[in-house]
Amino acid sequence: MRCLMCGIEKGDGDFIDILENDDPLCHACRNHLSKVKFHMKFHGHKLYASYIYDDAFAKLLVQYKECFDEALKTVFLYPFRWWLLLRFFGYTICYLPSSKEKIAKRGFHHLEKMFSTLPLRQLDLFEKVYDFDQKNRSVKERMKMSDNIVLKKNCVVPKKILLVDDTITTGASLLGALRCLKGYDCKITIYVVSVNQLWLKSVKYSGNKEISKGLARLVSLPFTGRKYIIK
């Protein structure tokens, strides 16, 4: 089996690759990604993340989303698949919407494919009012995204929702989805695959060392004026 990133044959001189032969990445490429145990309250809802959005993660995500490398769908959640299944058993995965133009160009919805690796129910619950590319936009412009997300017509809102996205930067997209669900009798938990380093402002970390569960820091984000607890 070859690593989906570097292409080398897994197990060539690496004992860990032999033990984890079903991992789509080799041990070296996996170690380039910075894992983190991130937990905070986002507007009253629990939010979890598993990676730090740094250069290595950004490169992998761009290869998957912008270069249409669908085979990479299994890479992101592999180390956390059992935790995700056990922690969110009984939830329905509801992913944030992508622009229709991007889906047509890519040929697939990147979040739908990414989370299809988990044996949990999925529901395409949201859509965008108009196509809005957040790339290279200012924080003020990005925050307008919260008004650009609506529920699809005639949808049935599940009782337990796992709201998912690939990363959190300003949180505008998540706010838009939460606004849509306001008034519905449902439990909402949020899982983002990666977290922008701004949210880790006062947390000290090094390389691939995971932040322990007991570690807590108060973070004040300049673009929202809100405070969050990281656990």
Side-chain angles (χ1 to χ4, degrees):
M1 179 179 177
R2 292 188 177 275
C3 173
L4 292 181
M5 278 300 290
C6 67
I8 70 166
E9 188 68 36
K10 291 184 59 187
D12 288 352
D14 195 318
F15 183 67
I16 295 180
D17 278 348
I18 297 173
L19 291 177
E20 298 183 355
N21 193 48
D22 55 342
D23 189 337
L25 294 185
C26 68
H27 183 223
C29 287
R30 178 64 69 189
N31 269 356
H32 286 155
L33 301 173
S34 300
K35 291 187 288 184
V36 63
K37 291 179 179 178
F38 183 88
H39 174 210
M40 72 178 184
K41 283 283 188 177
F42 183 81
H43 292 264
H45 301 279
K46 291 181 179 179
L47 182 149
Y48 299 87
S50 298
Y51 294 101
I52 297 171
Y53 187 88
D54 54 14
D55 290 343
F57 187 88
K59 179 182 177 182
L60 181 64
L61 193 61
V62 166
Q63 178 68 24
Y64 174 55
K65 290 174 61 176
E66 309 304 330
C67 298
F68 321 133
D69 196 346
E70 188 179 347
L72 292 177
K73 67 181 182 180
T74 60
V75 165
F76 300 91
L77 304 182
Y78 174 83
F80 317 106
R81 62 199 189 284
W82 289 112
W83 175 79
L84 287 165
L85 178 59
L86 293 173
R87 175 63 183 80
F88 301 115
F89 183 79
Y91 281 77
T92 297
I93 295 173
C94 298
Y95 41 84
L96 293 190
S98 187
S99 73
K100 294 176 182 177
E101 181 184 351
K102 284 287 184 70
I103 294 174
K105 188 176 180 181
R106 193 182 294 132
F108 61 93
H109 191 303
H110 68 290
L111 290 173
E112 179 185 7
K113 289 293 183 181
M114 189 187 296
F115 283 88
S116 68
T117 59
L118 300 175
L120 296 175
R121 181 179 176 237
Q122 286 195 31
L123 184 61
D124 190 7
L125 199 61
F126 307 99
E127 63 184 0
K128 290 185 176 182
V129 178
Y130 56 90
D131 283 348
F132 180 87
D133 193 351
Q134 298 189 73
K135 198 184 299 179
N136 301 321
R137 300 275 186 167
S138 67
V139 171
K140 186 176 181 180
E141 289 175 319
R142 282 171 174 250
M143 292 308 293
K144 293 178 182 178
M145 185 62 196
S146 62
D147 297 321
N148 192 36
I149 295 176
V150 295
L151 286 173
K152 288 189 170 182
K153 291 181 179 180
N154 303 319
C155 66
V156 178
V157 176
K159 289 293 185 181
K160 296 176 73 176
I161 293 176
L162 180 61
L163 195 60
V164 301
D165 203 358
D166 50 30
T167 193
I168 179 172
T169 305
T170 62
S173 298
L174 290 170
L175 281 175
L178 291 175
R179 177 184 54 80
C180 293
L181 296 170
K182 190 175 181 180
Y184 283 91
D185 181 21
C186 59
K187 180 180 180 180
I188 305 169
T189 304
I190 302 167
Y191 176 76
V192 289
V193 184
S194 65
V195 56
N196 189 288
Q197 296 184 52
L198 285 171
W199 297 84
L200 299 167
K201 184 178 177 182
S202 66
V203 178
K204 295 180 180 180
Y205 63 93
S206 175
N208 277 337
K209 292 183 178 179
E210 295 182 344
I211 296 175
S212 66
K213 274 189 175 181
L215 181 63
R217 292 290 186 271
L218 191 63
V219 181
S220 181
L221 298 177
F223 45 78
T224 64
R226 295 179 180 274
K227 292 183 177 180
Y228 301 87
I229 295 294
I230 299 173
K231 293 181 179 179

